[in-house]
Amino acid sequence: MLALGAASLLAASAVAPTAVAAPAESRPSVVLDWYDTTARTIAAAGAPTQVTNSRTWAVSWLAGARAGREVPAGVDRGDYQDAALASAVHSSLVALVPTRTEQLDAAFRRTLDGIPDGPAEDRGVAAGEREARSVLASREGDGLDPASVDAPFTVPPAAPGVWQPTPPAYAPATQYGNRVARPFVLAAPDQFRLGPPPALDSRRYRSDLAEVRAYGTADSTRRTAHQTETANFWYGSSLTLYTEPLRVALSRSAGSVEERAKLVALFHIASVDTQIATSDSKYAYLRWRPVTAIRTGAIDPDPDWTPLHNTPAHPDYPSGHNTFAGAAEEILSALTGPRTAPFELISPTAPGVTREYTDWHRLTAENVDARILSGIHTRSADESGVALGKKVAAYVLGASGRLLR
């Protein structure tokens, strides 16, 4: 009952060779330049809420993908698409992160310096500015600003299975406002609402709780050193942790500027809509976190039980890390294939640790285990989260033609 399904997978993983470099390009990649510029912009001056930063990525790169989709006759295609992408992402980021205008303007000048002056550059810049204005206007008032995302939530009275603020901070609930935000593609936040979590008197619930009790406690004697490393590695922001895997996929893509911009746009649009759907299910069911269940529940209560990591301030079901992972895997597998040459990944919450991967599913599998090993989610919350993320991402992919016009 306590067996951790992916333990054997993690133990069996072997050290892979160094990542294979992307093929050289005839000139510096404007797509990668602006990917890195977007990442630096958000790292330096992003919002305090992850979904708001995902929205910044989605808006900027949706504008970029749209700007380069139709190339006017009589101009160089590559020059036009490079100028259009840079202009769209630049204009969007200046509007959304104005404190970085100086740095963004400098990056834009560097891009234009590498494109021959003439109609292709001029018309590409105009197209990018036009699409940025259009996408920004379409997302006005979508409820994904930090104040709306973290709208106040009234905690219900304590009862078996019902979420309560968790130790040590007992902080107010976060991300409640996501469930009423406007998605990019979903018809409504509850379009893919999950079925209810396992009943408190079910065998699955008892199994879930026993697993996290044994493997997720701070002083666990069952958790191996490698498993503790897994918990630490995936503890941070999903957006931060997946920035490099997406860049790897982007750098190895042989697609056009438009196709590569589409990859980034759809990845982040799926991420935003998945985070909205996640909060819908979380606050529909209000399932308590393991620390509350173990300390105060009816099954062998232990008031001193403490998880390896502090529990985030929102309900257990489903796991947001795993909805993000499921959506990411679905988009990357659909647009780049399920496997890739080996690549290395580091994490800000596991200093000095480098892990190597050759497929997108392994990232998901480690996320599932990590939240149990951290003591902050049940396996049901994790596995249901992956399924939800995949459903939302598949729907976004199906709507991509309409989305990108």
Side-chain angles (χ1 to χ4, degrees), residues 6-327:
S8 59
L9 169 68
L10 299 179
S13 60
V15 176
T18 305
V20 176
E25 297 181 284
S26 59
R27 64 183 181 192
S29 169
V30 170
V31 175
L32 289 178
D33 285 348
W34 280 93
Y35 186 91
D36 292 341
T37 297
T38 307
R40 284 194 299 269
T41 299
I42 290 174
T49 44
Q50 176 176 276
V51 72
T52 308
N53 292 325
S54 296
R55 175 189 185 270
T56 297
W57 275 98
V59 166
S60 302
W61 285 80
L62 176 58
R66 288 179 174 178
R69 71 190 184 280
E70 295 180 2
V71 180
V75 302
D76 181 86
R77 182 179 186 84
D79 292 342
Y80 176 88
Q81 289 192 323
D82 280 352
L85 173 72
S87 174
V89 177
H90 166 263
S91 297
S92 301
L93 290 175
V94 166
L96 295 170
V97 194
T99 58
R100 298 289 292 178
T101 297
E102 181 179 353
Q103 293 85 352
L104 291 166
D105 286 351
F108 190 44
R109 286 194 297 271
R110 287 194 297 272
T111 298
L112 295 185
D113 285 345
I115 301 172
D117 294 338
E121 180 186 67
D122 295 342
R123 296 177 75 174
V125 168
E129 292 172 347
R130 182 172 61 250
E131 292 297 344
R133 288 194 300 270
S134 174
V135 177
L136 286 163
S138 73
R139 298 305 301 174
E140 189 71 30
D142 59 12
L144 291 168
D145 58 285
S148 298
V149 167
D150 285 337
F153 172 71
T154 301
V155 179
V162 177
W163 182 82
Q164 300 291 303
T166 52
Y170 296 95
T174 60
Q175 302 176 14
Y176 175 65
N178 276 0
R179 68 187 307 240
V180 294
R182 175 160 51 89
F184 276 81
V185 176
L186 295 182
D190 64 355
Q191 182 173 345
F192 292 108
R193 180 178 293 176
L194 293 167
L200 299 184
D201 59 355
S202 67
R203 179 177 296 181
R204 177 62 191 263
Y205 174 75
R206 295 181 70 91
S207 175
D208 280 348
L209 201 62
E211 183 181 38
V212 72
R213 183 195 295 265
Y215 287 92
T217 185
D219 57 357
S220 174
T221 59
R222 305 287 294 273
R223 190 179 59 242
T224 68
H226 188 79
Q227 289 170 334
T228 300
E229 180 187 285
T230 298
N232 293 337
F233 195 90
W234 292 102
Y235 185 59
S237 156
S238 292
L239 179 60
T240 299
L241 289 163
Y242 273 88
T243 297
E244 180 61 20
L246 177 56
R247 191 188 191 282
V248 168
L250 190 67
S251 69
R252 296 173 179 180
S253 170
S256 66
V257 169
E258 179 189 1
E259 289 166 340
R260 296 164 86 190
K262 175 182 173 181
L263 168 62
V264 180
L266 293 180
F267 183 99
H268 288 288
I269 288 167
S271 165
V272 170
D273 280 15
T274 294
Q275 289 175 77
I276 292 171
T278 299
S279 289
D280 171 76
S281 284
K282 277 183 179 289
Y283 285 97
Y285 295 114
L286 287 174
R287 173 53 63 93
W288 59 8
R289 287 280 187 159
V291 64
T292 308
I294 294 171
R295 287 188 177 191
T296 68
I299 303 174
D300 300 326
D302 179 357
D304 296 321
W305 189 89
T306 301
L308 174 63
H309 291 138
N310 289 340
T311 302
H314 41 77
D316 177 58
Y317 180 84
S319 159
H321 266 59
N322 282 288
T323 59
F324 196 109

